[in-house]
Amino acid sequence: MAKGQAERLMGLVEEVLAQADTPLQSLDAVAVGTGPGNFTGIRISISAARGLALGLGVPAIGVTRFEALEYGTSGPALLCVDARRDMVFVQGSRTDTFAQPALAPIAEVMASGLPIIGAHGTPPSLPVAEATARVGLGRWRAGDTGAPPRPLYLRAADAAPARDAPPVIVS
């Protein structure tokens, strides 16, 4: 993570904690969104959360965007995150349709006839950041902090290694 990005991120963390009148050292756990979503953003947020948790000696708890979208809902639905290019990241909630997280065309998801929460559907019951915190809190209270957070990638990164041979250094 670039120094400027880290400083902005920690500034945001400090601002949120100040609004809540909560000192950083009083945190018992750190919840972080693990995706799917922006490849680089997910890597940065997970790295920052794991580093912060390690420094504080508390668990870092990963929460998928699907879990955050599902928070406070009932009944079958499809949880959708915009994936651009007429695609969505989708997972079913209380249904066998898209039982596993997937990348799918919007048209296929819309054709399912199931209610959609998130992208191309109704808004979630809470903002994703708040739902992520609440899911993480529930896990921490239950003693279910799990393994360190890992990214949930459903599409390969757009960046690719160069195809040209590396330059030869002549001495």
Side-chain angles (χ1 to χ4, degrees):
M1 177 182 330
K3 183 178 177 184
Q5 290 173 316
E7 289 171 352
R8 284 192 299 276
L9 179 61
M10 286 310 298
L12 180 59
V13 168
E14 290 170 357
E15 182 182 325
V16 168
L17 290 173
Q19 288 175 1
D21 195 27
T22 303
L24 183 65
Q25 294 73 19
S26 72
L27 296 180
D28 293 313
V30 176
V32 63
T34 59
N38 175 285
F39 188 83
T40 303
I42 292 168
R43 287 178 37 220
I44 290 170
S45 63
I46 291 174
S47 296
R50 288 179 69 172
L52 183 60
L54 181 64
L56 293 171
V58 300
I61 302 169
V63 177
T64 70
R65 176 75 62 102
F66 299 127
E67 292 169 313
L69 290 172
E70 184 179 43
Y71 184 85
T73 66
S74 61
L78 296 180
L79 311 166
C80 292
V81 177
D82 187 12
R84 313 264 188 241
R85 305 177 196 144
D86 295 324
M87 304 287 281
V88 290
F89 300 117
V90 60
Q91 183 172 8
S93 171
R94 299 172 196 90
T95 177
D96 290 334
T97 305
F98 292 106
Q100 297 299 314
L103 177 65
I106 294 168
E108 182 181 338
V109 172
M110 301 291 263
S112 74
L114 288 166
I116 296 172
I117 299 172
H120 306 284
T122 60
S125 62
L126 291 175
V128 172
E130 183 178 348
T132 298
R134 290 179 183 269
V135 170
L137 176 62
R139 287 201 187 132
W140 177 78
R141 284 182 173 158
D144 179 21
T145 57
R150 296 176 43 121
L152 174 60
Y153 296 132
L154 298 177
R155 175 179 13 216
D158 290 332
R163 294 181 188 191
D164 298 334
V168 176
I169 299 175
V170 180
S171 49

